[in-house]
Each structure stands twice: as C-alpha cells, then as structure tokens.
C-alpha cells in the first residue's frame, strides 16, 4: 500500500514579520517530516517560504529569511497556506500584492491559516468575513475594529473554522501547526513532534492564551506572584484560605480582603482555576484514570472534579479528554 501523499505547505513572508511566527510552524512540519521518514514513510510535507518579490526578506528581529517569489507558485498545487504575523510598529499595514495573491489562490487551497497578525492579511482579502478567528490578544480589538464583519475571539490559542485556521501569536502558531499535523497524520505523530520540540504539552485550541498563574499575575502587579507559584507546585495539598493566608503572611481577614481587591476574584476561585488547568493538562497528555488525576490536583472525590468541570467548561472530564487528547478513555476495572 502506498504511503501518504506529500502535502505542500506554503509560508507567506513579508518585511518585518515576526521571525518565530514563521520559524516555529516551519520547524514543527520539518520535525514531523523527520519522524515520518524515520518510521519508513515518505516525506509528509514539502515546505516553501515565499514572498511577493522573493529573495531576502528581513524579519522584525533583524534576521533575513530567503524566499521564493509568489509568481513561481502560480502553477503549483498548494495544500496549506500559512501567513506569518508581526510588524515593527503599532499599526499593521497589509501588503496589497500579497493580499491580492491570497485572494486569487485561497479557493483552490485545502487550508488557509494565519499566525498572530497574519489574520489582518487574510481579513483584507475578505476571507475572514463572518468567520470566528483568533489573533494575538494585544491586536484583537484592532482587528475587530478594522474588520467588524469578522468574529474575533481575543482569548483562544487557535481556532479551526472549516478550512480556515487562525492562531494567536508566537508559540500559539506551533500549537496550531501540531493540530494541523494531527489532522493530517494522527495523534501519535503530533505528540511525538511536540516532544521533539520540547513542548510542555500539545495544547488544545480552545485553551486560553493565558495560563491561570500568568493571567492572575498580570492583574495583581506581582503582589501575589510567589503565592500563585506556590499554589501551582502544591496543588495536591490542602489549599484552604487559612493556609493561603499563612503563606502570604497575613491575617485571614486581611488576606481575603486584599487578595480579592487586588486580583479581582476570591482565593478559592484562583485555587479552583489552577486546579482545573492542571486537570486539563493531565487529561490531554496522559491516560491516568480520573481518580489518580483527582489525587494529583487535590480533590478527594471524582464527583467534585466532574462538578467543577461542568461548571467551568460545560462538559465532564471524560468528554474533555475525548475531544482534546486524541485518546480513548482507559477501560474501568470491573
């Protein structure tokens, strides 16, 4: 039986793009290629970096990238287009020639994708009209204002809307690329690619652009940063408010008042959110049964985990695992 068809991925580059928006996804596909060839399969992907004029294109990091001209691809079949993001200033300027080329080719491409502010380029072609899309959180409002017909989600890591894939900035482009690889070649090759890239976890697109500790620290100006780090590293322990007040070296009443005013939610809500983030990682990246996950994150009963999951995500833990891990739930002991 013949192996899988080699898919041609074209990365679209332009002056002042973010280097990692291009290099991160490019490396993910190159790593998948190496893993596939090591398993005896033919090359999974052919990757091409192209720009309007071809030649050397300078990134915003000051490192130039060698590219082909778009004209050399006019008679070439393309499986997936990926537009990098990035710019030097606070306003994103779309190259009209690049947008026109995409508009002319998008209908004949199986998947069209963007990383970060690459969504501005796709939006300029009309390709995002009426679609739900992701971009870097810092640019979401500007994208929505410039293109009100686009449904911008300011929080998601990446979004698939049919044949359209869009992602938040920088490392989220790698998350999206792993999802593309998984869609093409299955969960195992995607997980192996993530491991080779030393990714902490293959994150699901529906996850927030902010981890719970990072988002919380952004709100509290670092006043409780060490406490949040301590909570995350002691997630299986008793994390009642009295214990947290002791760790913060405050009286109970003062701690609750100051913490809630500073962070914008109660200490118990922060503990729950960090536990949920840990539970999601365990469900996505392991085959541990629910009981073991409960013990890892400090819940004594599976029912507690199920109840909190339903309240936060609208699905139970096993439904979450089935959706985001690519694994079947291990059989329960009789």
């Amino acid at each position: 039986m013949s192996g899988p068809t080699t898919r041609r991925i074209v990365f679209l580059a332009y002056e002042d793009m973010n280097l990692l928006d291009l290099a991160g996804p490019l490396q993910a596909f190159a790593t998948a290629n190496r893993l596939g060839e090591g398993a005896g399969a033919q090359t999974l992907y052919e990757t091409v970096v192209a720009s309007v004029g071809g030649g050397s294109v300078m990134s915003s990091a000051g490192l130039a990238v060698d590219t082909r001209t778009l004209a050399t691809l006019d008679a070439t079949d393309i499986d997936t287009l990926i537009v990098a993001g990035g710019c030097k200033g606070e306003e994103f300027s779309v190259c009209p020639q690049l947008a026109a080329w995409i508009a002319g080719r998008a209908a004949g491409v199986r998947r069209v994708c963007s990383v970060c502010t690459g969504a501005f380029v796709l939006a300029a072609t009309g390709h995002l009209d009426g679609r739900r899309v992701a971009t870097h959180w810092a640019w979401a409002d500007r994208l929505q204002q410039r293109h009100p017909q686009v449904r911008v989600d300011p929080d998601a890591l990446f979004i698939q809307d049919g044949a359209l894939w869009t992602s938040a900035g920088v490392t989220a482009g790698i998350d999206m690329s792993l999802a593309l690889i998984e869609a093409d070649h299955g969960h195992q090759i995607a997980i192996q690619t993530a491991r080779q890239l030393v990714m902490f976890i293959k994150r699901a697109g529906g996850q927030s652009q902010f981890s719970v500790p990072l988002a919380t620290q952004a709100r509290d100006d670092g006043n409780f940063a060490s406490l949040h780090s301590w909570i995350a590293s002691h997630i299986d322990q008793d994390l009642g408010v009295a214990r947290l007040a002791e760790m913060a070296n405050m009286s109970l009443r003062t701690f609750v008042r100051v913490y809630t005013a500073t962070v914008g939610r109660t200490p118990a809500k922060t503990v729950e959110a960090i536990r949920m983030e840990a539970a999601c990682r365990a469900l996505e990246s392991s085959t541990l049964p629910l009981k073991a996950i409960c013990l890892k994150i400090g819940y004594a009963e599976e029912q507690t985990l199920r109840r909190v999951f339903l309240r936060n995500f609208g699905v139970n833990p096993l439904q979450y695992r089935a959706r985001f891990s690519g694994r079947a739930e291990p059989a329960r002991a009789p």
Side-chain angles (χ1 to χ4, degrees):
M1 185 173 66
S2 61
T5 302
T6 300
R7 303 177 189 276
R8 183 174 292 112
I9 312 291
V10 174
F11 295 87
L12 299 177
Y14 50 86
E15 292 291 325
D16 294 331
M17 66 185 172
N18 187 313
L19 184 62
L20 192 54
D21 284 358
L22 172 70
L26 180 63
Q27 184 59 58
F29 288 105
T31 299
N33 266 349
R34 190 170 70 251
L35 292 168
E37 291 165 357
Q42 70 182 79
T43 301
L44 302 180
Y45 298 102
E46 175 194 343
T47 56
V48 177
V49 181
S51 65
V52 171
S56 179
V57 173
M58 185 62 68
S59 71
S60 60
L63 182 65
V65 175
D66 191 36
T67 69
R68 287 172 53 175
T69 63
L70 294 179
T72 64
L73 300 172
D74 286 346
T76 301
D77 290 334
I78 298 172
D79 179 83
T80 303
L81 281 176
I82 300 180
V83 187
C87 66
K88 277 191 173 180
E90 292 302 312
E91 290 295 328
F92 189 92
S93 298
V94 175
C95 172
Q97 296 96 326
L98 180 60
W101 186 87
I102 294 171
R105 291 300 304 266
V109 174
R110 185 170 69 97
R111 294 182 300 211
V112 177
C113 315
S114 65
V115 180
C116 192
T117 50
F120 281 80
V121 181
L122 294 185
T125 72
H127 198 71
L128 303 189
D129 290 359
R131 314 291 283 275
R132 178 170 167 260
V133 306
T135 190
H136 192 288
W137 61 268
W139 290 87
D141 287 345
R142 278 170 280 186
L143 179 61
Q144 188 67 80
Q145 291 165 8
R146 188 182 297 187
H147 300 281
Q149 67 276 29
V150 177
R151 295 186 292 127
V152 181
D153 185 331
D155 194 41
L157 281 175
F158 63 87
I159 293 171
Q160 179 190 5
D161 186 341
L164 172 70
W165 295 67
T166 54
S167 76
V170 198
T171 57
I174 303 176
D175 294 304
M176 180 183 72
S177 300
L178 291 170
L180 294 170
I181 293 166
E182 180 170 14
D184 292 341
H185 300 290
H187 183 72
Q188 286 306 311
I189 190 73
I191 283 294
Q192 291 168 21
T193 302
R195 287 173 179 156
Q196 288 295 318
L197 296 175
V198 200
M199 301 281 285
F200 177 64
I201 190 171
K202 190 183 78 62
R203 298 183 293 180
Q207 290 184 0
S208 172
Q209 293 185 33
F210 295 102
S211 70
V212 173
L214 180 61
T216 304
Q217 288 168 27
R219 288 193 294 267
D220 73 11
D221 295 325
N223 293 331
F224 292 104
S226 59
L227 177 64
H228 296 142
S229 296
W230 181 85
I231 292 171
S233 61
H234 295 80
I235 200 67
D236 60 335
Q237 299 183 16
D238 170 26
L239 297 177
V241 179
R243 180 87 184 277
L244 300 183
E246 179 184 348
M247 293 304 302
N249 197 27
M250 294 181 180
S251 71
L252 180 58
R253 291 182 63 183
T254 300
F255 171 69
V256 172
R257 176 175 54 80
V258 173
Y259 185 93
T260 303
T262 303
V263 177
R265 61 180 170 195
T266 66
K269 284 295 184 183
T270 292
V271 170
E272 180 180 287
I274 293 176
R275 280 181 165 148
M276 284 299 93
E277 186 171 74
C280 289
R281 290 199 301 264
L283 288 165
E284 292 170 8
S285 63
S286 78
T287 57
L288 287 172
L290 289 189
K291 183 62 176 177
I293 292 174
C294 287
L295 294 175
K296 277 178 67 76
I297 66 171
Y299 287 144
E301 301 291 337
E302 292 180 37
Q303 188 56 40
T304 303
L305 180 62
R306 291 191 182 96
R307 185 171 60 252
V308 177
F309 244 80
L310 284 169
R311 184 170 66 247
N312 282 275
F313 305 124
V315 296
N316 66 42
L318 299 188
Q319 289 170 328
Y320 182 94
R321 170 173 273 168
R323 180 176 178 185
F324 291 126
S325 76
R327 296 182 176 89
E329 177 65 15
R332 291 178 178 271

